[in-house]
Amino acid sequence: MTTPSAVSAARVYLDGAFVPATVRIAGGVIAAVDAFDAGADIVLPDTHLLLPGLVDSHVHLNEPGRTEWEGFATGTAAAAAAGVTTILDMPLNSIPVTTTPGALAAKRAATAGQLAVDVGFWGGAVPENLGTLAALDAAGVVGFKCFLSPSGIDEFGHLDADQLEAALTEIAELGSILIVHAEHPAHLSADGPLGTDYTAFEASRPAAGERAAIRTVIDASRRTRGRAHIVHVSDGGALADVRAAKAEGVPLTVETCPHYLTLTADEVPDGAAEFKCCPPIRDAANRDLLWEGVLDGTVDAIVSDHSPATPALKASPDFGLAWGGISGLQTGFSAVWTEARRRGIPLERILPLFTTGPARIGGLGGAGRIQAGESAHLVAFDPDAAHTVRAGELEYRNKMSPWDGRSLHGVVAETWVHAIPAYRRGEGVVARAGREILAEPAALAGWGSDR
């Protein structure tokens, strides 16, 4: 596969702005960034932007063990089609879950020959492995994931408040990070039938449960000085506590997801389980609060929480019985850009949350930037092109999407991974040059935002 030595565009995203430039490449690495060169190997059309490869730090690929839900081949293909060149894989729902070095080795073995983009790995913090997290850390996980309520997977247990504090104490000593599914079990209804009306499901996982759990994490992080990150924040009201904690100096970051920023509870059709996720999609006023957090810097990243399942698990029209999880890896960026555009928000305001924000959470150094010395992960993107999402045409193994049939703006024309063309619109995945990412010691040093 021929790799370019130079890519030029009239609008290249550099240091927070779009400017004319040429990206020089050698050995799959950006060698220099200099003035626009009309004679470069590749010159993008004026309608296209040159972006750094996007980073998604919250993806469930489920391989090995539940590869029928997704897998490294299909999941990384969806990433490349979205302009995402680096993903971090969650420690569940694979079998085995990534809670031991042996389980990480099994996951790494499963990646062979399948990666269209770079993939790193989260480890799990569960009751059984507390006190032994150093072994997983040394094996190369980028950090640790825990739940404060049942995960839905029997083999991945949740932590109580004392165990959370113990995990954060251990993680502070390692200089790592604990990413937390923050819903308080005392506020959650028992599992069981809820019917086809979405309002009953939303009420079963109220905002109060999210706020209580986030406060628990803040208190534990304050006491231990262990770095904590709240995943998939759905409750805009919880951001007030996050702002206060950050102002106080608590080592805390948070993310939200495309489905919370672009969808609302009142538009979920009866029995449409492709919209079910935990915590749930909430109302339009709540969505506005999340956008406030995006714009004022409270939210550190926008990531997909791509959590696919088989059609059989999604088949029940009862929101209490259908499996929870949204497939959003391939559509998330264009969905959020479409909503931002509607709100009059320029693309450069949200790009850091899809690039350097998630990279910083995962300790990925200069990933998500176009600068000398970084891997040549690049994306040709047409921000004004409209397309209609057709679930059957997506790269996922199980082709479901809550955006099915919606018109979105923003089309990825081509994605380069280590300067090798990985995806072209109309052709699909054209190469699999992705690599494993194993964390280096002290990778998380200097994690504070510079947005």
Side-chain angles (χ1 to χ4, degrees):
M1 182 69 66
T2 302
T3 61
S5 62
V7 182
S8 284
R11 292 180 290 170
V12 180
Y13 183 71
L14 299 173
D15 299 323
F18 287 103
V19 297
T22 299
V23 179
R24 309 283 179 186
I25 301 165
V29 174
I30 298 172
V33 181
D34 54 31
F36 178 84
D37 178 3
D41 294 351
I42 296 173
V43 179
L44 299 189
D46 287 345
T47 54
H48 289 186
L49 311 174
L50 186 63
L51 306 181
L54 309 183
V55 179
D56 192 331
S57 57
H58 194 147
V59 178
H60 295 262
L61 293 180
N62 307 329
E63 188 173 3
R66 290 191 174 95
T67 311
E68 70 274 16
W69 294 20
E70 190 63 284
F72 289 113
T74 50
T76 62
V84 176
T85 56
T86 305
I87 62 177
L88 298 181
D89 178 55
M90 284 289 151
L92 73 166
N93 302 309
S94 56
I95 302 174
V97 292
T98 315
T99 56
T100 66
L104 177 63
K107 187 172 280 284
R108 292 184 59 198
T111 67
Q114 299 204 76
L115 303 184
V117 304
D118 287 1
V119 177
F121 310 98
W122 292 105
V126 295
E128 295 79 10
N129 72 352
L130 296 184
T132 65
L133 299 181
L136 255 181
D137 183 69
V141 297
V142 299
F144 298 89
K145 168 77 177 288
C146 77
F147 280 70
L148 299 187
S149 57
S151 71
I153 299 293
D154 291 341
E155 56 267 33
F156 200 98
H158 65 286
L159 305 184
D160 62 24
D162 290 340
Q163 291 166 332
L164 171 68
E165 187 134 352
L168 277 169
T169 298
E170 189 173 358
I171 280 163
E173 293 171 354
L174 293 172
S176 188
I177 180 174
L178 184 67
I179 67 172
V180 185
H181 181 122
E183 290 183 286
H184 198 293
H187 293 264
L188 306 183
S189 299
D191 292 337
L194 291 171
T196 62
D197 186 345
Y198 181 78
T199 57
F201 170 65
E202 186 186 2
S204 76
R205 306 187 83 99
E210 225 176 326
R211 294 183 198 185
I214 289 172
R215 288 167 183 160
T216 298
V217 174
I218 289 170
D219 289 344
S221 181
R222 179 187 293 116
R223 286 191 294 269
T224 64
R225 303 308 298 169
R227 184 186 164 207
H229 174 76
I230 308 297
V231 298
H232 50 52
V233 173
S234 78
D235 172 35
L239 296 181
D241 287 325
V242 172
R243 288 186 187 95
K246 286 186 169 191
E248 180 190 337
V250 175
L252 180 73
T253 49
V254 301
E255 71 188 36
T256 192
C257 303
H259 37 282
Y260 302 131
L261 292 171
T262 69
L263 305 173
T264 60
D266 62 1
E267 60 190 327
V268 177
D270 288 349
E274 61 268 31
F275 289 81
K276 179 182 176 180
C277 57
C278 301
I281 295 164
R282 306 192 190 277
D283 63 23
N286 177 78
R287 181 177 65 176
D288 290 342
L289 290 176
L290 290 173
W291 273 102
E292 288 180 16
V294 165
L295 295 177
D296 70 13
T298 305
V299 173
D300 298 275
I302 301 172
V303 294
S304 67
D305 188 13
H306 179 66
S307 188
T310 62
L313 288 169
K314 283 286 196 181
S316 175
D318 188 305
F319 280 105
L321 301 178
W323 185 264
I326 281 179
S327 296
L329 178 56
Q330 190 169 337
T331 53
F333 181 53
S334 58
V336 173
W337 164 231
T338 300
E339 180 65 16
R341 176 187 172 112
R342 185 182 74 82
R343 292 170 178 260
I345 300 167
L347 184 59
E348 52 266 43
R349 288 292 302 278
I350 63 169
L351 266 174
L353 289 97
F354 286 92
T355 54
T356 51
R360 192 172 294 112
I361 288 161
L364 299 179
R369 299 180 190 272
I370 296 176
Q371 63 183 21
E374 297 300 327
S375 293
H377 294 338
L378 303 170
V379 180
F381 182 71
D382 185 341
D384 298 319
H387 67 285
T388 300
V389 176
R390 304 294 183 198
E393 299 173 358
L394 297 171
E395 299 284 349
Y396 311 144
R397 174 157 284 130
N398 297 293
K399 301 181 186 300
M400 293 175 280
S401 171
W403 293 278
D404 187 29
R406 290 178 182 248
S407 178
L408 301 180
H409 279 89
V411 167
V412 172
E414 188 159 359
T415 302
W416 294 268
V417 175
H418 302 288
I420 297 171
Y423 168 86
R424 289 194 189 100
R425 186 165 177 81
E427 298 180 45
V429 171
V430 294
R432 293 186 179 271
R435 305 172 185 175
E436 289 182 285
I437 298 169
L438 295 179
E440 298 290 338
L444 293 166
W447 60 268
S449 176
D450 60 5
R451 283 177 50 214

